[in-house]
Amino acid sequence: MTATLLLGVVVLVGSFVQASLGFGIAVVAAPFVVLLEPELMPASLLVLGLVLPLLQLLSGPRDVDRRLLGWALGGRLALTPVGAWLVHVLPTRGIAVAVGLLVLVSTVLSIRTVETTARPSTALGAGAITGVSGTAASIGGPFLAIVLQHEDPVRIRSTLSAFFVVGSSASLLSLAVSGQVTREQMTTSAVWVPFVVAGMLLARPVQDRLPRTAMRHGVLALCVVSSVVVTGRALLT
């Protein structure tokens, strides 16, 4: 229970980051979950990846790019079974390495802004990558965020939220069908939901006041350290 509550604090931080930037709860939390409670991956974080964006859509301003969302979801839904298959065949160590590398790739992409055009083909590609990475490791936000990076901030957050709600639901269903969702994962995710809500509420009054550059650099540094630790530990044990 102590580890679960400690991870709840990490989830709160991830929720705060996602509520501010549009994505981040899994990027921040997944490495710590892999280190402390690897058996909870990926379903417990996928539940949070459904709950937080759903709350954001219901309680905040909405401006969803339905055209790009449709293409992105098409790619994600098509490749989701591949992600579920990887969870079935990979050992815990393999999932840990996947999480570490995905966090590192996501961080590098965030540091070195990749110039893309928000068009159906790029949205489809980002969705396809997320179908695998989002299901196998609960991480996928950065890929579509890169496609949407030049859009209005409200549109970015709203479109990502809608993408997460549908995508996380599909990933959870696919994992459940393949027998990869446990009672412990669902119970723990329920314990973490209040931490998600707290992070979202804490982000609201400071969203437009935070020194975004400093916060972004801090989050990216944390992600690099955690990804290296997770990958190193998995490879050395």
Side-chain angles (χ1 to χ4, degrees):
M1 180 57 74
T2 300
T4 299
L5 294 178
L6 287 174
L7 288 172
V9 176
V10 177
V11 166
L12 186 152
V13 174
S15 176
F16 180 90
V17 171
Q18 179 157 324
S20 302
L21 305 181
F23 71 95
I25 188 169
V27 174
V28 171
F32 293 93
V33 176
V34 166
L35 284 173
L36 296 178
E37 300 284 353
E39 68 279 0
L40 298 177
M41 288 291 293
S44 61
L45 286 184
L46 282 171
V47 172
L48 305 186
L50 166 62
V51 171
L52 176 57
L54 182 60
L55 291 174
Q56 290 178 294
L57 286 174
L58 293 175
S59 62
R62 291 180 295 277
D63 181 18
V64 178
D65 189 324
R66 298 179 184 277
R67 177 167 169 266
L68 291 180
L69 175 64
W71 283 99
L73 285 175
R76 172 153 189 168
L77 296 177
L79 272 293
T80 290
V82 176
W85 175 75
L86 287 176
V87 174
H88 179 68
V89 299
L90 286 178
T92 301
R93 178 182 176 185
I95 296 296
V97 172
V99 169
L101 292 179
L102 278 170
V103 171
L104 190 58
V105 168
S106 301
T107 304
V108 171
L109 290 177
S110 297
I111 294 172
R112 297 180 58 85
T113 303
V114 180
E115 291 297 328
T116 60
T117 303
R119 58 178 183 266
S121 60
T122 53
L124 179 67
I129 295 171
T130 305
V132 178
S133 66
T135 305
S138 73
I139 296 171
F143 306 107
L144 184 57
I146 289 171
V147 173
L148 299 171
Q149 63 184 299
H150 297 302
E151 301 295 315
D152 176 79
V154 173
R155 171 160 285 201
I156 293 174
R157 286 194 291 264
S158 298
T159 304
L160 284 173
S161 292
F163 179 70
F164 292 146
V165 168
V166 178
S168 295
S169 299
S171 293
L172 281 169
L173 178 60
S174 186
L175 289 172
V177 169
S178 61
Q180 302 303 312
V181 177
T182 67
R183 182 187 298 273
E184 182 184 9
Q185 290 169 340
M186 294 296 97
T187 302
T188 303
S189 62
V191 172
W192 287 341
V193 167
F195 292 93
V196 170
V197 175
M200 185 183 73
L201 293 177
L202 287 172
R204 283 185 177 177
V206 297
Q207 280 179 343
D208 299 323
R209 301 178 186 177
L210 282 173
R212 290 297 181 90
T213 302
M215 178 182 174
R216 181 170 174 269
H217 288 170
V219 170
L220 293 176
L222 174 65
C223 290
V224 169
V225 172
S226 61
S227 66
V228 170
V229 170
V230 168
T231 307
R233 179 175 175 178
L235 293 175
L236 295 174
T237 57

